Amino acid sequence: MSSELLAPLDLAFWHLESSDHPMHLGALAHFGPLPAHGDPSTVLDLLARRAAAIPRLRMKVRDVLLPVGGAAWTTDKQFDVRRHVREIALPGADFAAEAAGLAGELMERPVERGLPPWEMYLLTGAPDGSFAVLVKLHHALADGMRAVAIGAGIFDEIAATRRYGGRRARNVPPRSWLPGPGRIMGAARERIEDIGRAVDVGASVVGASFLRAGQIDVRAPSALAAHSSGTRRVATAVLDLERVHQVRRTTGGTANDVLLAVVAGALRRWLDGRGEPLPAADPRALVPVSRRRPGSPAGSGNSLSAYLLALPVTEPDPATRLASVRRAMDRNKADGPMRGAGAVAVLADQLPSLAHRFGAPLASGAARLLFDVLVTNVPLPRSALSLGGAPLRELFPMAPLARGQALAVAMSPYAGRVHVGLVADGKAVPDIEALAAAIGDELDLLEDLGGV
């Protein structure tokens, strides 16, 4: 039976979870009708077969004796894919809205920890024969990029490559529990470098936390700082990618800068529609950054850092908001993802297993000391994808909520559009659909202004 130790950050995500704060990623994918008016219910068998063929989805977590407090991925000998893949028929009167509503309910529920930590739901019932698939993967299993690599195995194009011996992803050897003598000196040098980096990051995190501690009640809008209820609501928005690039070409910066400015403006518009006063200071966004090098193997587990960004919600001018975001992100990139308070994930990588096991429950509420909302961009394959011959129309990523957080925003470009998935605490943000609508309105405004 193969085993692989959970990396420190994976272990942190595993122990951060509680019944009210599940730590799984999600994606809601909408597909067109099957060829020749096929029955969407037949897709259930296809999903089950393809999911069962992905080795990573057969792995569950178990405790280990060494290192103390550690855990390992191990193959589930009793693996039954039917415990993970299910079909739910919806009424179908408004299939997209029904799918988003059900996604919110399903995202509330933690995955079962005694099994491989993932679930897939086939959602059927659309009058035109289209269907949707909701995927849930525990954050300990993968970060956003790794989740895409794992989930892509259900698509026709990737499954065919695997089946017919095309180019395959390189296997990543399991982490060695007891390194051999030849690796000890190199590991020692790396550890010294890691400790120095951890000290830098730790100082930034502690400093940023203390700066916020005295003003936590005024930093964020009340909706974003609400106590968690354990409920979830999901809403979606779709933006035209070419329009995003048009604004980028006019203003400079990156497409992600434009999207972050859109989120800032949408929050301002949404708060105004609620009749809420603007916050005394701009809310801070945690913007995850992958530490995987381009072209390197996807590997297993999480490899993340992050930037902290003050979303200019208090700025009334949309062009100034965009310029502010661009300058702040340029500063973040100049410093690099391995420095600054946003690199708290790097710090987690340096802590021993026992610290994660006992410290995670105590530290779970510390997210509010660093940031108010998560905003992440998850890249998808550029090629057209399908499932059982049904074309993928839309794919909305969904991020988990940390304790004390009421909103997470995830975005993925695909097929010329940016798909935005919003996950919110259901009681703190019952009007999440209004925020989704504001996202589209903000892009309209930026385009109308010509980005200046």
Side-chain angles (χ1 to χ4, degrees):
M1 179 174 62
S2 61
S3 295
E4 173 190 342
L5 284 178
L6 268 72
L9 184 55
D10 303 345
L11 194 63
F13 286 133
W14 189 248
H15 291 305
L16 279 170
E17 184 171 66
S18 69
S19 58
D20 287 341
H21 298 89
M23 290 299 296
H24 49 256
L25 309 169
L28 180 61
H30 286 270
F31 295 87
L34 293 167
H37 307 289
D39 183 358
S41 63
T42 62
V43 177
L44 189 68
D45 290 334
L46 184 63
L47 273 176
R49 290 198 307 272
R50 289 181 178 173
I54 300 172
R56 196 71 186 170
L57 296 185
R58 292 175 170 267
M59 307 290 281
K60 65 178 182 178
V61 176
R62 68 177 180 89
D63 292 338
V64 296
L65 293 176
L66 292 175
V68 177
W73 292 108
T74 184
T75 302
D76 183 2
K77 289 183 175 181
Q78 283 77 44
F79 176 75
D80 181 358
V81 72
R82 293 295 181 177
R83 301 181 71 175
H84 300 266
V85 180
R86 306 174 182 91
E87 180 179 2
I88 300 177
L90 299 175
D94 187 349
F95 185 76
E98 292 164 6
L102 180 60
E105 296 178 18
L106 295 174
M107 288 295 286
E108 292 178 8
R109 310 174 189 173
V111 294
E112 189 171 341
R113 293 172 74 88
L115 300 174
W118 64 274
E119 299 168 0
M120 290 186 190
Y121 294 88
L122 172 65
L123 310 181
T124 59
D128 65 352
S130 60
F131 59 94
V133 175
L134 174 68
V135 180
K136 293 167 55 178
L137 295 174
H138 198 284
H139 211 336
L141 184 64
D143 55 27
M145 290 184 66
R146 179 61 175 166
V148 170
I150 292 173
I154 71 170
F155 293 114
D156 298 337
E157 295 74 15
I158 285 81
T161 300
R162 185 193 306 119
R163 179 178 179 182
Y164 294 113
R167 183 180 177 184
R168 301 182 182 184
R170 291 169 54 190
N171 291 326
V172 178
R175 296 175 183 266
S176 174
W177 294 26
L178 296 173
R183 295 174 55 193
I184 291 178
M185 290 303 295
R189 286 193 299 269
E190 290 178 4
R191 189 60 181 165
I192 292 172
E193 294 173 357
D194 288 345
I195 291 172
R197 182 162 55 243
V199 169
D200 288 343
V201 175
S204 298
V205 171
V206 171
S209 299
F210 276 119
L211 282 174
R212 294 202 73 198
Q215 46 187 340
I216 190 69
D217 291 333
V218 299
R219 289 287 302 188
S222 58
L224 299 184
H227 293 292
S228 301
S229 67
T231 61
R232 297 290 182 269
R233 287 183 66 88
V234 168
T236 62
V238 179
L239 304 176
D240 185 275
L241 184 57
E242 176 54 32
R243 295 175 62 201
V244 173
H245 282 300
Q246 180 59 45
V247 176
R248 174 192 59 79
R249 286 190 288 266
T250 303
T251 62
T254 67
N256 199 48
D257 294 342
V258 177
L259 293 172
L260 289 167
V262 165
V263 171
L267 285 171
R268 179 185 175 90
R269 183 185 295 263
W270 170 66
L271 290 169
D272 183 64
R274 277 181 149 214
E276 286 196 28
L278 292 175
D282 289 323
R284 286 202 285 191
L286 187 75
V287 183
V289 180
S290 175
R291 290 192 282 140
R292 301 186 193 279
R293 295 179 179 179
S296 65
S300 60
N302 290 269
S303 184
L304 291 171
S305 184
Y307 297 133
L308 284 180
L309 171 70
L311 292 172
V313 170
T314 58
E315 171 55 54
D317 180 63
T320 305
R321 284 197 296 268
L322 176 53
S324 175
V325 166
R326 186 173 65 248
R327 288 192 300 269
M329 290 302 290
D330 285 346
R331 288 194 297 270
N332 277 329
K333 293 170 188 174
D335 291 340
M338 304 298 285
R339 297 185 63 85
V344 63
V346 180
L347 179 62
D349 262 341
Q350 316 309 320
L351 297 177
S353 301
L354 198 61
H356 288 303
R357 180 174 293 270
F358 293 106
L362 299 175
S364 61
R368 278 192 62 200
L369 294 176
L370 280 177
F371 67 98
D372 304 300
V373 59
L374 175 72
V375 184
T376 184
N377 195 323
V378 182
L380 294 178
R382 294 185 178 181
S383 58
L385 300 171
S386 61
L387 178 59
L392 175 65
R393 289 176 172 174
E394 298 173 327
L395 192 149
F396 300 100
M398 292 176 284
L401 296 181
R403 186 182 298 275
Q405 308 290 309
L407 175 68
V409 182
M411 301 174 282
S412 284
Y414 174 74
R417 297 190 290 179
V418 180
H419 299 94
V420 184
L422 305 173
V423 177
D425 183 280
K427 290 187 177 179
V429 191
D431 56 343
I432 186 66
E433 292 82 5
L435 179 56
I439 287 176
D441 293 339
E442 277 303 305
L443 181 59
D444 292 342
L445 182 59
L446 278 176
E447 190 177 40
D448 290 343
L449 293 174
V452 297

